[in-house]
Amino acid sequence: MLAIARRRPYLEPMSWFPKPSSPRAALRDLFAVIRHSEREQRIGAALAFLVTLIIVIEFIVDAKIGMAPPPQIVEVQLYPSNRTDAQIIADQKKDMAERAAFEKEKQRQFQKLENQLGM
């Protein structure tokens, strides 16, 4: 097997950043800054942290509300597998007549509403 040549970092100009330190060292630095700051700065930092925390919590809570659709009941009409073409056509005509009657009734209701509103 051939060895793959090591690739150069694609962020070469940014290599002057220090290497990541440990979380323990970062916390020590944070506590040192807090220790040597004034009361107003601590209050401002606490408020900034609190506002950020509230915004993050809002996003988390909002993402969980209203996401799952409610369960739907689907009614299925079972037909025998040995139906003839004539039975299928008769059922289709009956369904089309029901749909046409429904649409006609809906149109009648809209016309009634139109007359009531004076349009």
Side-chain angles (χ1 to χ4, degrees):
M1 254 186 163
L2 295 175
I4 299 174
R6 186 170 187 143
R7 295 183 180 152
R8 291 183 37 192
Y10 71 96
L11 297 174
E12 187 72 33
M14 297 178 71
S15 63
W16 54 271
F17 281 128
K19 293 196 188 283
S21 60
S22 70
R24 198 174 289 155
L27 284 175
R28 274 195 309 249
D29 287 346
L30 177 65
F31 290 135
V33 168
I34 291 173
R35 234 179 289 131
H36 296 295
S37 63
E38 297 179 15
R39 180 174 179 252
E40 292 83 10
Q41 291 175 327
R42 290 183 197 145
I43 292 172
L47 289 174
F49 179 76
L50 182 66
V51 167
T52 305
L53 184 66
I54 289 171
I55 291 172
V56 169
I57 290 173
E58 284 288 328
F59 275 109
I60 291 171
V61 169
D62 187 48
K64 295 185 187 280
I65 294 176
M67 290 299 293
Q72 294 180 343
I73 298 173
V74 178
E75 296 181 8
V76 179
Q77 186 174 6
L78 297 177
Y79 295 106
S81 60
N82 57 358
R83 290 191 318 158
T84 64
D85 288 342
Q87 290 173 328
I88 294 172
I89 292 171
D91 284 340
Q92 288 175 344
K93 285 183 181 179
K94 184 182 71 163
D95 291 341
M96 286 174 52
E98 287 176 3
R99 179 175 284 166
F102 173 76
E103 289 177 3
K104 192 165 192 159
E105 175 61 23
K106 190 174 178 183
Q107 183 180 14
R108 187 194 64 76
Q109 290 175 356
F110 277 121
Q111 285 176 348
K112 181 181 174 184
L113 180 63
E114 183 180 327
N115 291 336
Q116 288 176 349
L117 295 176
M119 295 181 159

